[in-house]
Amino acid sequence: MGKRCMPCRLVLFLGIFILLFSSVVICKEDIAGDISVYTLEYSLETASVNIELKIPVLTGLKDREVQEDFNLNNRDKAIAFADQIREWADQDYYEYRGEPGPFFKYQAYAAYEVKNLEGILSILMTHYEFTGGAHGMAVQSSYNLSPLTLEEVSFQDILELYGLELEEIKETIISEIEKEEDYYFSGAVDYVRDKNDFDYYIQDGHLAIYFQIYEIAPYVAGCPEFRITLY
């Protein structure tokens, strides 16, 4: 069934180790087996930018090198995201000085949700940025991992693991789109029909397939999502 995921100021991201007016909070949540996920929360506010983020950090994996690689990769992505938004914000704020009216601060937010713990570890990430204009932009991504090795489980792997047929999945999505044709772009059905790979995560015995903002529907639709029963 289709789900409307409205764009939101969610937070994920990492990055500000050299900061002014910042705070760091560390939280822990136990997940399946010996693996736990720690949440590192960062915040930074200056005259030009607001940054808030939550970063997943995994611990408890037997292969510590694999675990460290995963955590460092998340950290590096967050640092790059934060540094870029802050650089743009500082530059525009400097150029804006003396202009009439308020300066609208740039924003960088990031968040994650642990969606599944059994069999496959699914983590849904959301990055949101505002750099001026009518609205910001949110982008979703997901980790779907073997809980033992942290190896990525591809969409094709999911089809094989659960005995799913690609064409049947496409038809399920298309059927949901056709129920609300006015809600989607006119070419959404053809776009789905031509795709052979989809962004996904696992949750509550379902395969959740999602699309980015503007991928098959207008901005107001957010990130459209469709669920297929696995068992």
Side-chain angles (χ1 to χ4, degrees), residues 4-16:
R4 302 180 182 180
C5 176
M6 297 301 293
C8 47
R9 295 175 34 150
L10 293 176
V11 346
L12 160 246
F13 160 45
L14 184 313
I16 316 249

Side-chain angles (χ1 to χ4, degrees), residues 1 16 55 61 74 78 80 82 86 91 101 104 106 112 114 119-120 127 142 154 156 184 204 209 220-222 225 231:
M1 183 175 181
I16 316 249
I55 310 117
L61 199 69
N74 273 339
R86 188 177 181 185
Q91 180 179 342
F104 292 98
Y106 281 26
Y112 76 92
V114 178
I120 294 173
H127 292 73
S142 51
S154 70
Q156 295 300 321
Y184 299 93
D204 299 330
I209 292 175
V220 68
E225 186 176 292
Y231 47 82

Side-chain angles (χ1 to χ4, degrees), residues 76-175:
D76 290 346
K77 286 181 179 179
I79 289 173
F81 175 60
D83 286 348
Q84 183 65 84
I85 301 300
R86 188 177 181 185
E87 179 183 342
W88 291 340
D90 289 346
Q91 180 179 342
D92 283 1
Y93 182 73
Y94 178 83
E95 294 175 353
Y96 184 84
R97 291 181 308 171
E99 295 291 330
F103 177 83
F104 292 98
K105 292 185 181 183
Y106 281 26
Q107 299 168 13
Y109 298 95
Y112 76 92
E113 295 177 76
V114 178
K115 292 291 188 177
N116 193 70
L117 312 177
E118 301 295 332
I120 294 173
L121 173 60
S122 278
I123 302 175
L124 181 67
M125 325 279 283
T126 304
H127 292 73
Y128 171 89
E129 64 180 66
F130 173 78
T131 57
H135 53 68
M137 179 62 70
V139 176
Q140 290 188 340
S141 61
S142 51
Y143 288 112
N144 298 288
L145 309 167
S146 162
L148 297 178
T149 64
L150 297 188
E151 291 182 358
E152 187 72 24
V153 181
S154 70
F155 179 72
Q156 295 300 321
D157 292 334
I158 288 296
L159 297 183
E160 294 178 13
L161 283 170
Y162 291 96
L164 301 172
E165 295 293 332
L166 177 60
E167 294 306 317
E168 291 182 6
I169 290 175
K170 290 182 183 182
E171 289 306 315
T172 298
I173 296 173
I174 289 170
S175 175

